[in-house]
Amino acid sequence: MKLRFIAATLAVMAMGTTSIMAEGLQGTPSTPIAIVDSQKDSASILPDQYKSYATTMNTVVKDYKNGYTFTLPWRVADGVKLDMDVRSESEHIQGYSFNLAGPTQDDSYTVSFTKRNNTPQDGVSQKEWNTTWYGVPIKGMSDEEYLSIWRQHSNAFENNDIVGGFFNKKGAISARWDKTTPKSYAEMTSTEPVQSVFEAEFIMDKDPTHRYNLASTYAPIQGEFMEQGLMEHTIPSFELLNKTGSSTIKGVKQFISGTSDISVAEGIKFNYPKGFIRLNEKGKIAFTKHNVRLDIESFTIPVQAVSTGMPTMMGKQMLGDYYLKQLVEVNKATITRYETHIIDGNVMFYLAGHMKNPNTADTSAAAPVSFAATIILGNEGNVAVARMIGPAGTSLSTPEFIDVLDGFKLTTTLNTNPSSQVL
């Protein structure tokens, strides 16, 4: 396995000789000011007890078409979905790239996750290609051996300090990481901004002909913050997904994502919910499953109200923040979970917790219920919400229920570039 680090020519930083993958990090480092400043609008909208969501909220990415998922433990400022052929060893790159800080900030914080072709070179077999590092078996290879072999085949070490090695990753044939920094940073000889780059790469046992690459750039002084999130959350969260389909349970047809669509509003559809029975209620899209009710509704907001944000991630997040605020103030909700969900490129926001029953005329006297909801902003100024309500104590945050609520998809796009999609 040769060097497969497309960003190796970029400036990157070192941590020393101790393997950060082995030791991990301790404590909770503070959020960089650049990230905090770029999310001031979010902090101003969110209720006081939930202002931490302005920067710290899971961004869950599920790509069923390409068969994988991963999670970032942060709110992102913007993102792009990529799908392109390239003239390199990677051959084809598909994946996602995010900025954690807005474009007006001096420091950049980026995270990308991509799927690439993993084609053997020099006539070696796929097995040998996946289990060697420049022809040397990786089993039992120490960090020192990894770096020594790399040094023999690369001039990246001339101007950079580099650490890295192989590590155990569930389901992976091999998994490696590296981190590099320009020597000018350590020597303080350069006045130019310096970026650290951290990379991790997996070759999965169930998908040996592809490799999955995580790369992140950030200010060296914020290495602890970024590396803790990447190592303790993003890397463990990555896993392969099965393709969707349909199954039959106890003689009842169960619809799975993609098998049937419900038109909710112009440009927005919803996958028929698995295991739910549709209710015959005039003018409503409603379903039930045992003691859980699912309502899907839409409304139009003045385009002017969101034109400054559409179709940016921050504009969509603002909608989610206002929805959370409404639930707290109107329905006396307690929010236990608030996340950004990106499902096959469709951006939506998931909330769960408990609140006063919204179906009771006198909300102030209503009994508490469990709820979970997903809200999405379409490209035509339309908003759609899917909401589940169940008796107090009902767990609505199971993977099955979350998959149902994440059933929205946009049918119109504002993009003209076929190789990238602004999220």
Side-chain angles (χ1 to χ4, degrees):
M1 182 167 58
K2 294 182 178 179
L3 172 62
R4 304 182 180 113
F5 188 9
I6 198 170
T9 58
L10 298 175
V12 217
M13 133 183 205
M15 286 191 66
T17 58
T18 303
S19 169
I20 57 177
M21 293 304 301
E23 284 199 352
L25 296 165
Q26 303 296 325
T28 304
S30 59
T31 304
I33 296 298
I35 296 177
V36 173
D37 285 347
S38 71
Q39 296 292 353
K40 282 184 177 178
D41 288 341
S42 300
S44 67
I45 296 171
L46 292 164
D48 289 343
Q49 64 270 44
Y50 300 111
K51 289 191 182 299
S52 62
Y53 282 128
T55 56
T56 305
M57 65 183 297
N58 284 342
T59 298
V60 181
V61 178
K62 292 183 180 179
D63 194 311
Y64 289 103
K65 178 183 176 181
N66 293 286
Y68 64 90
T69 181
F70 65 92
T71 298
L72 304 180
W74 308 295
R75 179 185 286 240
V76 300
D78 57 54
V80 177
K81 182 182 179 182
L82 306 170
D83 195 336
M84 66 182 74
D85 292 322
V86 294
R87 295 181 180 180
S88 71
E89 179 186 324
S90 296
E91 301 175 321
H92 187 85
I93 297 177
Q94 183 282 325
Y96 301 81
S97 180
F98 300 100
N99 286 304
L100 303 188
T104 60
Q105 305 303 316
D106 293 333
D107 293 333
S108 64
Y109 296 86
T110 71
V111 181
S112 68
F113 210 112
T114 54
K115 177 180 181 178
R116 303 157 184 248
N117 289 355
N118 183 38
T119 305
Q121 305 286 311
D122 305 325
V124 302
S125 66
Q126 188 76 57
K127 181 178 180 180
E128 181 181 353
W129 178 255
N130 291 348
T131 58
T132 59
W133 178 244
Y134 289 99
V136 180
I138 63 175
K139 185 176 183 179
M141 183 178 289
S142 67
D143 291 355
E144 290 74 18
E145 291 175 296
Y146 168 82
L147 295 170
S148 176
I149 294 170
W150 188 1
R151 187 186 299 272
Q152 296 172 30
H153 295 85
S154 173
N155 59 6
F157 290 79
E158 294 179 7
N159 299 311
N160 301 293
D161 294 316
I162 303 176
V163 291
F166 286 92
F167 66 97
N168 293 324
K169 164 67 181 170
K170 183 179 179 180
I173 298 173
S174 65
R176 69 179 185 90
W177 71 277
D178 54 66
K179 180 184 177 182
T180 315
T181 189
K183 291 182 178 179
S184 60
Y185 172 73
E187 299 168 359
M188 296 297 182
T189 59
S190 174
T191 58
E192 294 297 319
V194 173
Q195 289 287 291
S196 301
V197 176
F198 175 92
E199 182 200 33
E201 185 176 87
F202 324 125
I203 298 176
M204 305 303 289
D205 182 63
K206 292 184 178 180
D207 188 15
T209 61
H210 291 98
R211 51 195 171 89
Y212 297 85
N213 179 278
L214 165 67
S216 179
T217 65
Y218 44 88
I221 197 172
Q222 299 296 346
E224 185 180 7
F225 171 83
M226 292 296 294
E227 289 146 20
Q228 183 178 73
L230 296 171
M231 292 185 298
E232 297 183 6
H233 298 278
T234 303
I235 291 175
S237 74
F238 171 81
E239 61 181 349
L240 299 180
L241 293 175
N242 294 325
K243 299 296 183 181
T244 57
S246 63
S247 62
T248 301
I249 301 176
K250 295 183 179 180
V252 179
K253 185 70 174 180
Q254 304 295 313
F255 291 92
I256 312 249
S257 175
T259 62
S260 182
D261 293 329
I262 301 168
S263 292
V264 180
E266 184 178 358
I268 303 177
K269 290 190 175 183
F270 190 80
N271 292 322
Y272 196 97
K274 174 186 175 182
F276 280 74
I277 299 172
R278 186 158 186 174
L279 299 175
N280 186 18
E281 295 187 6
K282 187 176 180 180
K284 290 186 176 181
I285 304 175
F287 298 83
T288 185
K289 182 177 183 180
H290 305 309
N291 58 0
V292 175
R293 180 184 171 100
L294 167 64
D295 289 280
I296 304 161
E297 59 182 343
S298 66
F299 54 92
T300 301
I301 55 178
V303 175
Q304 296 85 347
V306 293
S307 60
T308 57
M310 289 182 62
T312 66
M313 181 73 73
M314 285 188 174
K316 297 174 183 179
Q317 287 173 336
M318 189 177 296
L319 175 72
D321 294 340
Y322 273 118
Y323 185 53
L324 184 151
K325 182 179 181 180
Q326 179 189 26
L327 291 173
V328 171
E329 294 180 352
V330 177
N331 299 105
K332 311 304 178 185
T334 297
I335 309 299
T336 58
R337 192 163 171 177
Y338 182 35
E339 300 176 337
T340 304
H341 287 187
I342 302 173
I343 315 298
D344 289 330
N346 297 295
V347 179
M348 54 200 83
F349 300 90
Y350 171 84
L351 306 93
H354 56 271
M355 64 180 177
K356 296 287 188 177
N357 192 338
N359 298 321
T360 302
D362 184 1
T363 304
S364 62
V369 294
S370 295
F371 85 95
T374 293
I375 186 169
I376 188 170
L377 172 64
N379 293 322
E380 315 294 333
N382 295 318
V383 175
V385 177
R387 185 185 66 193
M388 289 182 184
I389 296 291
T394 304
S395 176
L396 298 178
S397 295
T398 64
E400 294 78 13
F401 281 152
I402 292 175
D403 286 344
V404 168
L405 289 172
D406 284 348
F408 287 116
K409 61 182 177 181
L410 304 182
T411 59
T412 60
T413 177
L414 300 179
N415 295 340
T416 57
N417 186 346
S419 64
S420 64
Q421 171 188 343
V422 176
L423 298 172

